[in-house]
Amino acid sequence: MDEVEVPPTPTVTVLPPRRPGFGSAGRRLQVRTNFFPVLSLPGQNIQHYDVAITPETNPRINRRLFSLWEDLNRNGILKNTRPVYDGRKNIFSPRTLPLKDDQALFTLELPDSDEGDGRPRNPRPNRVARQFKIHIRKVGEINMHRLHSFLEGRAPEAPHDAIMALDILLRHRPSMLYTTVGRCFYTPAGSALIANGAELWQGFHQAIRPSQHKMLLNLDVSATAFVEAGPVINVVAKILGKARPEDIRTQFTDRERARVERALKNVKVLTTHRGPNKRKWKIAKLTTMAASRTMFPIKDGGGREESVVNYFRERYGSQLQFEHWPCLVVGDPAKHVYLPMEVCKVVAGQRVLRKLNEKQTADMIRFTCQPPHIRSNKVSSGFNLLLTQDNEYLEDFNVKIGREMATVNARVLPTPVLSYHPSSREANIAPREGSWNLRDKKVAQGATLTSWSVIVFGSERELPVVQVQKFLRELITTCRDTGVDIRQLQPPIRHANPLGSIETIMKAGYMDAGNASNRKPQLLLIILPNTGVSLYAEIKRIGDTIIGIATQCIQSRHVFAAKKQYCANVCLKINVKLGGMNVYLGNQQLPFVADVPTIIFGADVTHPAPGDLHKPSIAAVVASMDAQCSRYAAAIRVQKGRQEIIKELQSAAVELLRTFYQTSGSKPRRILFYRDGVSEGQFAEVVREEVAALRRACRQLEVGYEPTITFVIVQKRHHARFFPLTKEDADKSGNVLPGTVVETGITHPTEFDFYLASHPGLQGTSKPTHYHVLHDENEFTADGLQELTYRLCYLYCRATRAVSVCPPAYYAHLVAARARFHFVGEHWNDLNSERSAPIVTTAATLEALTANHALVKGDLTNVMYYM
């Protein structure tokens, strides 16, 4: 395939394909969903007004101002009209407001309140209420007839203004009553404390969605972490893993101080040492010294400095109990406002903006994990909480919501037949309820392992050689029984210090393997002392990008209890890392792939953690290498942070198409592209840019080479849930059966989309995956794409169960996550499972960031090293 220069593709706006009809494969049934039908919509046009509030403030204060404005004008210009407000710039009204020249300026005085700017909070007679000006100006009318036409399928494009107005109408009242985060409303009622100074609040997610012939209200339970309210010293003790503040008797180490500073930065606190005259401040950082040694300049003191401890003793007559703790630096750091932690309380209702650490995440899963019948009941109670019958705003807009969750038609797709090696006692199997085991089965193509070694991070006392050898015997036996040919039965074992040079240790392990076998090393089996991210990340960086060898990590606890099932799972991972194939579907089950040479892509973009403004995003693209869709090669591209479009998709696609050609000897005539991680607002731009990039990649390889392309968005970040109506339609966990597909009742009015619950339930309520076709030159039928996608879910190579997302998209996510470990010089913090390097204040250039990202060695790029 000779490369040619390709001119850029002109920009064309293309509407997504219309639904090609509905599917018929599988057993028909009905399921209940967490959508409530909108029974009536406004018949008249909705009036749209722009709002400008000065001075600018936050949505919470804006809503208080709107409520005050509403009360003052109830018998004036409103005349019992109930307009609704989004908390920022937009007011929507069911009828025209009598404003001169369609605009008006109002002046409001808001009583002194809790605004977090460091000023005294208790109203006093001599304090003046804050004054605000509100300018309201009409900007247009929203034609509701366009929405009716769209819902009936007569108009191709969604009228976003009408949908937005209805969304704000439905959110208006709960926004006034509850803590609002994005599309969710939270309440401290029923909150639960979790690890490291955080607490979980329960709430509800609410969104309005268009479907066939009607609008629907999607309502789901939600939970998010807030900073635990109360004395700062209690919160800090928990951040540091202590039961009580008194347990911290020494000064903070640099690491402890950094940990507390990361957790409390930008958190608002209220002072308690001045009686009723409380003040609210925002934490900027912590002092580097203890309170007893923290000095600050005295006002009008002629340059004299005073320690915080002495100041509080002399000014307030209070002896600090925790003078060995650092102080909070609040407000503007240049103003030297230092507060001892013991005189501050964390203000309630502040969300944790940082990524939760491992322990917090585990606590959150326990808190939110609810079986389907409990989740269904909670959704119903949420309906009553957010949309009570006497909602005068809905009445004024003539909007009525049905009180019962929608019941929709569904189908359970037929289970595919999986194929293992013909010599297996059970070579073909149709799994029950989406899962199976490896008993009496050999992998479809077993790899041969002739050169490997073992590195044990820990002392011989902690992990004796005899114990390691016992585990290896079980692992080798299991691998050989499962069809992986391990020829070196006594690999060299090396114990090493996890605090030493990991690169030196791994290179020595590599040499051990080569010297013992006189062959090129294929695998390093590494036994880890704990579940920490730091060591694991460094092992993967060195194995993937420096040595170029497959690595298989194992937790030391498994070495002491070598279970056959665990060893079988490890065997599956080792086999694909060495180029083997675990399981496949016969050609008759994947006709789209088997009929003509076809390549299946998966793509995902991962972004830096919230608040990390200077790290890049990582785009990962994988592609199938065979007609069995079992092996996938990967390409990684580093790009500007928070950028969703894969900017270098053309070069990544060229790389993978060339690998397909070299592996299979043919050029793919069809491309199926599963794209993960895209929100609805980005659909048009992503499909336009990325389909054009795929076209250019094909033309770059050969003039006139134009395979047909289907581009499917894969969405897991949605709030649709399904609840079985009968026990016969549920699995053991109470969830819908694997293969349940829904394409009517809650899907797009005209476009080709469907929900698929492909996996068996484990705990809690299963989340289906939403697939939305944005471009289709392969002219899929509904059954064709749904069955192909479902069958692929049985080919995830490191599990013996169907997975919830089709493997190409799943693999792309794994590759992107692994690529985060490939940055040179990163410091990963075990406690937080994230980088602990200080946040840089100047943006590094993309070139510098890319140069800092090590490339995966060529030997690994065509095998599934990321498993």
Side-chain angles (χ1 to χ4, degrees):
M1 297 172 85
D2 299 321
E3 292 194 21
V4 293
E5 194 68 32
V6 182
T9 309
T11 300
V12 184
T13 301
V14 182
L15 289 171
R18 290 179 74 87
R19 192 183 298 280
F22 296 104
S24 58
R27 176 172 69 85
R28 295 180 183 277
L29 70 157
Q30 288 194 316
V31 294
R32 191 160 62 243
T33 67
N34 59 334
F35 289 80
F36 295 83
V38 179
L39 302 176
S40 69
L41 290 168
Q44 76 282 16
N45 289 350
I46 292 176
Q47 311 302 312
H48 183 192
Y49 294 86
D50 176 81
V51 188
I53 296 178
T54 51
E56 282 190 22
T57 183
N58 60 49
R60 184 173 58 87
I61 301 296
N62 285 347
R63 288 194 172 98
R64 288 186 58 205
L65 288 164
F66 178 83
S67 183
L68 182 59
W69 173 81
E70 203 179 14
D71 289 343
L72 293 173
N73 291 280
R74 174 76 58 231
N75 299 319
I77 60 166
L78 292 180
K79 292 191 172 62
N80 291 321
T81 296
R82 295 281 185 176
V84 293
Y85 177 46
D86 69 353
R88 296 185 187 277
K89 293 284 292 175
N90 299 287
I91 285 177
F92 297 97
S93 172
R95 56 193 71 85
T96 303
L97 301 179
L99 306 177
K100 187 181 179 185
D101 299 328
D102 281 336
Q103 60 181 316
L105 183 66
F106 301 88
T107 301
L108 294 180
E109 289 189 345
L110 195 62
D112 180 36
S113 67
D114 194 1
E115 290 168 41
D117 55 5
R119 284 185 287 205
R121 292 295 144 236
N122 275 359
R124 295 201 304 266
N126 60 343
R127 282 193 57 78
V128 180
R130 286 191 76 189
Q131 198 172 79
F132 292 87
K133 293 193 182 305
I134 301 181
H135 183 240
I136 297 176
R137 176 178 59 88
K138 186 173 180 179
V139 288
E141 287 191 17
I142 295 171
N143 185 336
M144 296 305 290
H145 178 70
R146 286 169 47 239
L147 177 60
H148 291 281
S149 296
F150 172 68
L151 297 175
E152 296 300 328
R154 297 193 300 271
E157 287 194 68
H160 294 294
D161 55 352
I163 294 171
M164 178 180 76
L166 289 174
D167 190 45
I168 288 162
L169 166 63
L170 288 166
R171 297 170 58 74
H172 175 80
R173 182 159 151 173
S175 296
M176 293 291 196
L177 300 174
Y178 305 109
T179 300
T180 306
V181 178
R183 294 191 161 275
C184 300
F185 307 105
Y186 294 99
T187 166
S191 63
L193 298 178
I194 61 171
N196 304 119
E199 60 184 8
L200 287 177
W201 287 21
Q202 295 186 90
F204 295 92
H205 170 277
Q206 179 188 299
I208 192 159
R209 315 266 321 157
S211 185
Q212 295 110 15
H213 311 296
K214 60 184 174 296
M215 296 294 294
L216 297 166
L217 176 70
N218 180 209
L219 199 60
D220 191 24
V221 295
S222 179
T224 197
F226 286 78
V227 182
E228 185 183 331
V232 168
I233 54 171
N234 293 352
V235 175
V236 168
K238 290 179 181 178
I239 291 169
L240 295 177
K242 306 292 184 185
R244 303 174 310 139
E246 290 77 14
D247 294 339
I248 305 171
R249 297 187 179 90
T250 58
Q251 292 189 13
F252 286 22
T253 64
D254 287 346
R255 188 172 177 182
E256 286 173 332
R257 196 180 63 78
R259 190 187 297 174
V260 173
E261 186 170 289
R262 278 197 307 274
L264 292 184
K265 190 177 174 66
N266 294 324
V267 168
K268 291 176 188 147
V269 293
L270 208 60
T271 58
T272 60
H273 63 289
R274 301 175 65 182
N277 192 10
K278 291 178 168 54
R279 295 175 72 168
K280 187 187 255 187
W281 297 93
K282 186 183 280 187
I283 299 172
K285 57 181 182 178
L286 266 57
T287 56
T288 53
M289 312 284 271
S292 58
R293 297 167 61 196
T294 298
M295 311 294 287
F296 65 96
I298 295 289
K299 245 186 208 177
D300 306 323
R304 188 169 64 85
E305 290 192 328
E306 176 76 280
S307 78
V308 172
V309 170
N310 286 342
Y311 178 80
F312 269 77
R313 187 188 302 120
E314 292 170 13
R315 180 73 187 267
Y316 301 108
S318 66
Q319 180 62 47
L320 298 182
Q321 301 301 306
F322 297 90
E323 58 182 53
H324 55 292
W325 288 28
C327 294
L328 304 175
V329 182
V330 296
D332 180 355
K335 292 185 176 175
H336 305 288
V337 181
Y338 305 136
L339 293 173
M341 294 189 192
E342 61 197 86
V343 303
C344 297
K345 284 167 56 177
V346 173
V347 175
Q350 298 180 81
R351 194 161 65 104
V352 174
L353 296 176
R354 301 177 74 254
K355 182 182 174 187
L356 299 183
N357 65 40
E358 245 175 75
K359 195 162 183 343
Q360 290 173 325
T361 302
D363 288 346
M364 185 164 195
I365 290 169
R366 274 195 296 275
F367 182 76
T368 57
C369 184
Q370 297 155 344
H373 66 281
I374 292 177
R375 194 182 192 107
S376 172
N377 291 339
K378 284 201 169 184
V379 167
S380 295
S381 68
F383 180 91
N384 297 328
L385 188 74
L386 300 182
L387 292 160
T388 45
Q389 289 295 79
D390 58 344
N391 189 326
E392 60 273 24
Y393 295 96
L394 295 185
E395 287 175 17
D396 205 24
F397 280 83
N398 188 39
V399 170
K400 291 188 179 68
I401 314 285
R403 298 187 64 81
E404 296 295 323
M405 282 193 256
T407 298
V408 298
N409 293 324
R411 288 174 290 117
V412 178
L413 299 176
T415 303
V417 175
L418 305 178
S419 297
Y420 283 89
H421 194 277
S423 67
S424 306
R425 275 195 222 163
E426 195 177 17
N428 298 298
I429 177 176
R432 282 178 54 81
E433 292 192 4
S435 65
W436 64 102
N437 59 48
L438 282 175
R439 200 176 300 119
D440 298 330
K441 302 173 193 67
K442 292 182 184 289
V443 292
Q445 286 179 14
T448 301
L449 180 58
T450 56
S451 180
W452 60 305
S453 76
V454 179
I455 298 173
V456 182
F457 279 107
S459 68
E460 286 197 50
R461 187 174 54 80
E462 294 166 324
L463 279 160
V465 171
V466 176
Q467 190 68 47
V468 176
Q469 287 173 332
K470 184 183 175 187
F471 170 77
L472 291 176
R473 283 195 295 274
E474 182 65 52
L475 178 64
I476 290 167
T477 302
T478 305
C479 285
R480 297 183 90 179
D481 290 348
T482 315
V484 178
D485 185 9
I486 298 185
R487 298 191 178 175
Q488 188 186 20
L489 302 183
Q490 291 186 319
I493 300 169
R494 168 184 292 269
H495 283 76
N497 183 354
L499 301 176
S501 166
I502 308 303
E503 183 174 336
T504 303
I505 294 164
M506 288 178 66
K507 283 180 174 175
Y510 182 87
M511 296 302 291
D512 292 344
N515 293 335
S517 63
N518 288 322
R519 292 173 181 270
K520 185 178 179 183
Q522 298 164 276
L523 175 74
L524 293 179
L525 185 82
I526 297 172
I527 298 173
L528 302 175
N530 54 46
T531 58
V533 175
S534 180
L535 179 58
Y536 178 84
E538 187 67 355
I539 288 166
K540 294 304 180 183
R541 183 183 72 82
I542 292 162
D544 296 347
T545 69
I546 293 177
I547 301 175
I549 187 170
T551 51
Q552 179 59 53
C553 292
I554 287 171
Q555 294 296 324
S556 58
R557 61 190 170 90
H558 295 296
V559 174
F560 291 102
K563 294 190 175 125
K564 197 128 193 112
Q565 180 64 53
Y566 177 77
C567 290
N569 291 342
V570 172
C571 169
L572 293 178
K573 297 172 78 171
I574 289 174
N575 191 45
V576 295
K577 288 176 182 180
L578 299 178
M581 178 169 68
N582 291 340
V583 66
Y584 67 97
L585 296 172
N587 286 350
Q588 72 278 8
Q589 295 189 80
L590 294 174
F592 176 78
V593 178
D595 290 352
V596 298
T598 301
I599 187 169
I600 299 183
F601 281 90
D604 190 17
V605 179
T606 66
H607 302 292
D612 203 342
L613 304 177
H614 307 296
K615 288 284 188 281
S617 291
I618 293 176
V621 187
V622 302
S624 59
M625 295 292 112
D626 54 30
Q628 282 76 36
C629 300
S630 291
R631 295 189 184 94
Y632 288 79
I636 297 164
R637 295 294 183 271
V638 177
Q639 60 189 42
K640 187 179 173 187
R642 314 258 163 234
Q643 187 175 60
E644 188 53 56
I645 306 283
I646 302 174
K647 282 301 176 188
E648 293 186 51
L649 179 58
Q650 180 179 339
S651 69
V654 165
E655 190 181 309
L656 294 166
L657 286 164
R658 194 186 288 116
T659 304
F660 183 94
Y661 181 69
Q662 291 163 351
T663 306
S664 67
S666 56
K667 292 180 294 186
R669 285 164 47 192
R670 297 197 284 219
I671 292 175
L672 173 54
F673 198 98
Y674 287 104
R675 177 66 157 91
D676 197 2
V678 182
S679 63
E680 280 181 49
Q682 298 167 311
F683 278 9
E685 186 184 10
V686 167
V687 71
R688 184 178 66 243
E689 297 280 338
E690 295 185 5
V691 169
L694 291 172
R695 286 250 168 274
R696 291 195 300 273
C698 295
R699 293 205 301 271
Q700 182 179 331
L701 289 167
E702 185 177 283
V703 176
Y705 173 47
E706 293 200 355
T708 49
I709 298 172
T710 296
F711 193 96
V712 183
I713 296 290
V714 180
Q715 288 181 301
K716 282 292 282 185
R717 291 191 173 181
H718 62 76
H719 285 266
R721 298 291 184 276
F722 303 150
F723 307 105
L725 292 177
T726 65
K727 279 191 176 176
E728 294 72 36
D729 296 334
D731 67 10
K732 284 178 289 198
S733 68
N735 282 287
V736 293
L737 293 165
T740 299
V741 65
V742 172
E743 59 181 343
T744 62
I746 60 171
T747 50
H748 194 279
T750 58
E751 293 171 14
F752 186 6
D753 71 324
F754 58 91
Y755 290 92
L756 173 63
S758 51
H759 61 301
L762 276 173
Q763 54 179 359
T765 304
S766 297
K767 180 193 286 192
T769 298
H770 186 223
Y771 296 91
H772 200 134
V773 181
L774 296 189
H775 186 85
D776 184 26
E777 296 167 354
N778 289 301
E779 298 180 346
F780 271 104
T781 62
D783 279 335
L785 185 58
Q786 289 164 9
E787 290 203 272
L788 170 60
T789 303
Y790 179 48
R791 287 170 180 174
L792 287 174
C793 292
Y794 282 79
L795 296 179
Y796 182 65
C797 66
R798 70 179 188 192
T800 52
R801 56 193 299 115
V803 288
S804 61
V805 177
C806 65
Y810 203 148
Y811 294 150
H813 180 75
L814 292 180
V815 171
R818 173 67 72 84
R820 287 251 163 236
F821 295 151
H822 294 165
F823 282 99
V824 180
E826 288 290 316
H827 303 287
W828 293 82
N829 181 328
D830 287 348
L831 180 89
N832 292 306
S833 303
E834 60 183 61
R835 290 179 303 282
S836 62
I839 295 170
V840 290
T841 52
T842 54
T845 64
L846 184 59
E847 291 77 15
L849 290 167
T850 306
N852 205 32
H853 186 262
L855 299 177
V856 176
K857 289 286 184 182
D859 290 355
L860 295 179
T861 50
N862 296 341
V863 295
M864 299 174 74
Y865 68 91
Y866 46 86
M867 298 306 293

